[in-house]
């Protein structure tokens, strides 16, 4: 490896090492569990560092990392060895409308509302709104068409607001339930 | 000639407008619609509100701090917490990617390869860290077979193998749950170069769930998996993930 490549690889690995918090936030939005989110983030970082040579385009580092996170998340879901519905509808508890809450309550309510979204919607909304990926990047990370990104994002935001403003409302999926048999 | 505005502004367009994903024509169409009617303005406002709420909900989320020794000073005098970031930054500056990049990019299917690899590229002895992260008796069995094969193949003085478990892998090292408790104990008793490590963070997680895990005696419980793995990689050890072993 030449000196230039050596320095470039070091730089990439350093950037991966520094990405823990970013990965953690998105993983937390996906799974709603702090410890699991931390495990997912750390597994993603380990995979990224050990497989850095598979990254062909350095400018795509974070899109590549989030693809790894997506794969680790899907692997975790498969390993749970339970029947899981990708479009689970999870009615929440009764809450007051958001306007009556203090800031810390808003954070809690938002996280609970996101956790109640179908998994696919959680993934899209967090990648767009937390990490500000383009629709193209999200499509690549999740390996889905751009049109699917757009429709899931729209439903996610609509459901999120509905849950927060009117807690009795259940999220809409807009599609048939998919059952994963483990 | 100026292109005509698009008249029907659907919800997907509104979302894409707020996210900056529209081309100029569609963008101007949404702006024109916003200027013309309150309903479009309201729709744009609601999408912006949803975006803002997501940020409020998660942007201050911090990963749980790692359990470990006090923060160390890095090469430039800055304080780093002992964690993945610090370990990797220190590794990348002081040891370089040559050690990390070469060893960790190899997934070894047979433990004898670990010794050959180490011998070919460094004068140090054979060192392997084997990572178990799932509660799977087949993986536990494969891990212990791997250790036995390593011991058979690497009898030179100084060779070492560590088995580190986190998450579901902790079940291998729990006296109250492990189907291989006797084997684990026997390995530690008969081989001074075999070490088992149960991730401190994983133990802490179980305690938070109200479970007090009974870790098999003499197993190290003071280290976190990710930090220790990174430290070993930094020191030139070979990393093997048990679910990458072909027998499984």
């Amino acid at each position: 490896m030449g000196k230039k490549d050596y320095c470039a690889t070091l730089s990439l690995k350093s950037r991966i090492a520094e990405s823990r918090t970013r990965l953690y936030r998105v993983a937390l939005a996906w799974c709603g569990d702090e410890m699991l989110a931390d495990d997912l983030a750390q597994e993603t970082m380990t995979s990224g560092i050990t497989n850095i040579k598979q990254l062909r385009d350095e400018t795509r580092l974070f899109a590549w990392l989030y693809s790894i996170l997506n794969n680790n998340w899907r692997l975790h879901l498969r390993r749970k060895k339970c029947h899981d519905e990708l479009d689970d509808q999870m009615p929440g508890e009764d809450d007051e409308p958001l306007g009556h809450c203090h800031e810390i309550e808003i954070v809690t309510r938002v996280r609970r509302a996101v956790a109640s979204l179908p998994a696919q919607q959680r993934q899209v909304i967090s990648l767009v709104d937390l990490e500000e990926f383009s629709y193209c990047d999200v499509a690549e990370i999740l390996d889905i068409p751009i049109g699917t990104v757009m429709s899931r994002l729209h439903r996610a935001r609509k459901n999120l607001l509905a849950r927060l403003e009117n807690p009795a409302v259940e999220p809409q999926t807009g599609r048939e339930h998919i059952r994963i048999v483990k | 000639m100026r292109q005509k505005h698009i008249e029907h502004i659907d919800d997907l367009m509104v979302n894409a407008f707020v996210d900056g994903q529209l081309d100029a024509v569609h963008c101007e169409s949404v702006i024109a619609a916003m200027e013309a009617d309150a309903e479009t303005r309201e729709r744009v406002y609601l999408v912006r509100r949803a975006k803002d709420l997501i940020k409020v909900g998660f942007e201050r989320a911090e990963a749980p701090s790692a359990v470990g020794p006090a923060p160390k000073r890095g090469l430039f005098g800055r304080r780093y917490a002992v964690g993945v970031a610090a370990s990797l930054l220190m590794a990348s500056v002081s040891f370089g990617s040559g050690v990390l990049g070469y060893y960790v990019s190899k997934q070894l299917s047979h433990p004898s390869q670990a010794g050959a690899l180490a011998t070919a590229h460094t004068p140090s002895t054979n060192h392997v860290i084997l990572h178990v992260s799932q509660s799977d008796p087949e993986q536990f069995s494969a891990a212990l077979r791997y250790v036995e094969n390593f011991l058979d193949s690497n009898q030179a003085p100084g060779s070492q193998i560590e088995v580190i478990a986190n998450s579901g892998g902790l079940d291998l090292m729990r006296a109250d749950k492990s189907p291989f408790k006797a084997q684990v104990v026997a390995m530690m008793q008969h081989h001074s170069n075999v070490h088992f490590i149960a991730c401190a963070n994983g133990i802490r997680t179980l305690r938070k769930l109200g479970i007090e895990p009974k870790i098999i005696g003499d197993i190290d419980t003071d280290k976190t998996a990710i930090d220790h793995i990174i430290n070993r990689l930094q020191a030139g050890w070979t990393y093997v993930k048990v679910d990458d072993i072909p027998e499984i």
Side-chain angles (χ1 to χ4, degrees):
Chain A
M1 181 188 285
K3 188 174 178 182
K4 193 177 173 186
D5 289 340
Y6 168 86
C7 291
T9 304
L10 285 184
S11 170
L12 284 172
K13 289 184 178 177
S14 295
R15 288 170 66 194
I16 294 173
E18 291 164 357
S19 66
R20 184 181 178 195
T21 300
R22 285 177 65 175
L23 289 165
Y24 170 76
R25 284 175 193 156
V26 170
L28 182 63
W30 289 4
C31 69
D33 179 307
E34 290 180 356
M35 291 299 165
L36 175 58
D38 198 31
D39 282 346
L40 287 170
Q42 293 192 34
E43 282 199 30
T44 299
M45 291 167 66
T46 307
S47 294
I49 288 164
T50 58
N51 297 304
I52 193 67
K53 288 185 178 156
Q54 293 179 13
L55 176 63
R56 292 187 184 85
D57 180 356
E58 289 180 19
T59 63
R60 309 290 299 154
L61 172 65
F62 285 102
W64 179 69
L65 268 184
Y66 283 98
S67 296
I68 297 174
L69 178 65
N70 181 43
N71 290 337
N72 286 339
W73 170 230
R74 293 176 78 90
L75 198 60
H76 166 78
L77 291 174
R78 283 198 294 272
R79 282 174 185 163
K80 270 169 71 177
K81 289 187 169 55
C82 58
H83 291 271
D84 207 353
E85 295 203 11
L86 280 178
D87 292 337
D88 255 347
Q89 297 190 20
M90 296 166 53
E93 301 154 16
D94 285 336
D95 286 319
E96 290 186 23
L98 201 62
H100 297 164
C101 297
H102 300 295
E103 185 177 344
I104 190 87
E105 292 172 44
I106 292 176
V107 169
T108 306
R109 290 273 309 281
V110 168
R111 291 190 187 180
R112 197 188 303 148
V114 169
S116 75
L117 294 177
Q120 295 170 337
Q121 293 178 18
R122 272 182 258 150
Q123 286 192 295
V124 172
I125 199 173
S126 56
L127 288 172
V128 174
D129 289 344
L130 284 179
E131 286 299 305
E132 299 184 348
F133 280 112
S134 68
Y135 292 178
C136 281
D137 283 342
V138 175
E140 182 187 324
I141 290 167
L142 300 179
D143 196 22
I144 55 178
I146 289 181
T148 305
V149 172
M150 295 175 74
S151 56
R152 285 181 187 171
L153 181 62
H154 163 59
R155 284 199 295 274
R157 286 170 171 164
K158 189 176 168 186
N159 287 337
L160 178 74
L161 289 175
R163 283 288 292 132
L164 288 171
E165 301 301 338
N166 186 0
V169 170
E170 293 188 5
Q172 296 175 358
T173 62
R175 55 178 297 181
E176 298 295 319
H177 284 207
I178 295 176
R179 179 174 292 277
I180 295 177
V181 177
K182 303 280 164 42
Chain B
M1 184 164 114
R2 192 179 171 181
Q3 274 188 281
K4 278 181 71 176
H5 286 153
I6 293 152
E7 288 191 7
H8 175 61
I9 309 296
D10 64 22
D11 288 329
L12 300 191
M13 264 182 75
V14 170
N15 278 271
F17 169 75
V18 174
D19 294 328
Q21 298 293 292
L22 289 182
D23 59 27
V25 169
H26 287 81
C27 201
E28 285 178 13
S29 299
V30 174
I31 293 171
M34 286 173 67
E35 287 170 345
D37 67 84
E39 193 230 340
T40 305
R41 289 196 293 274
E42 174 71 9
R43 288 157 71 198
V44 169
Y45 161 74
L46 287 174
V47 171
R48 283 218 161 102
R49 181 161 160 74
K51 270 182 90 76
D52 289 343
L53 283 168
I54 290 287
K55 287 193 190 309
V56 165
F58 290 94
E59 66 182 355
R60 291 186 191 172
E62 292 289 338
S65 45
V67 172
K72 293 180 180 176
R73 291 196 176 272
L75 287 180
F76 302 103
R78 290 166 61 187
R79 287 175 63 87
Y80 294 107
V82 174
V84 177
S87 302
L88 288 168
L89 285 170
M90 291 173 72
S92 64
V93 175
S94 56
F95 287 90
S97 67
V99 170
L100 283 172
Y102 184 80
Y103 281 103
V104 306
S105 66
K106 295 289 184 185
Q107 294 297 324
L108 302 181
S109 59
H110 195 278
S112 62
Q113 293 178 38
L117 196 63
T119 303
H121 297 277
T122 172
S124 66
T125 53
N126 307 321
H127 297 86
V128 170
I129 180 160
L130 179 62
H131 182 195
V132 183
S133 61
Q134 297 170 52
S135 180
D136 182 344
E138 285 186 14
Q139 289 200 10
F140 294 166
S141 177
L144 296 176
R145 279 201 309 275
Y146 190 99
V147 174
E148 286 168 354
N149 289 338
F150 175 89
L151 292 169
D152 289 340
S153 308
N154 296 280
Q155 298 194 356
S159 64
Q160 288 188 59
I161 184 163
E162 292 179 345
V163 181
I164 189 160
N166 67 336
S167 195
L170 282 173
D171 285 351
L172 171 64
M173 303 189 186
R174 288 176 60 180
D176 53 334
K177 286 205 86 169
S178 177
F180 299 96
K181 176 185 167 186
Q183 277 175 265
V184 170
V185 170
M187 274 183 179
M188 289 192 291
Q189 283 177 346
H190 296 134
H191 303 283
S192 59
N193 58 341
V194 177
H195 302 279
F196 288 84
I197 302 165
C199 176
N201 262 351
I203 293 170
R204 188 172 64 137
T205 299
L206 288 172
R207 288 182 178 140
K208 278 193 172 184
L209 296 171
I211 301 166
E212 184 57 47
K214 291 180 177 48
I215 303 298
I216 296 169
D218 292 333
I219 287 180
D220 188 336
T221 57
D222 291 332
K223 299 177 178 62
T224 61
I226 191 66
D227 290 343
H228 188 66
I229 288 169
I230 297 299
N231 287 339
R232 286 309 197 208
L233 290 172
Q234 174 182 333
W237 286 50
T238 301
Y239 170 80
V240 177
K241 191 100 192 288
V242 72
D243 47 359
D244 289 330
I245 297 173
E247 288 95 339
I248 297 177

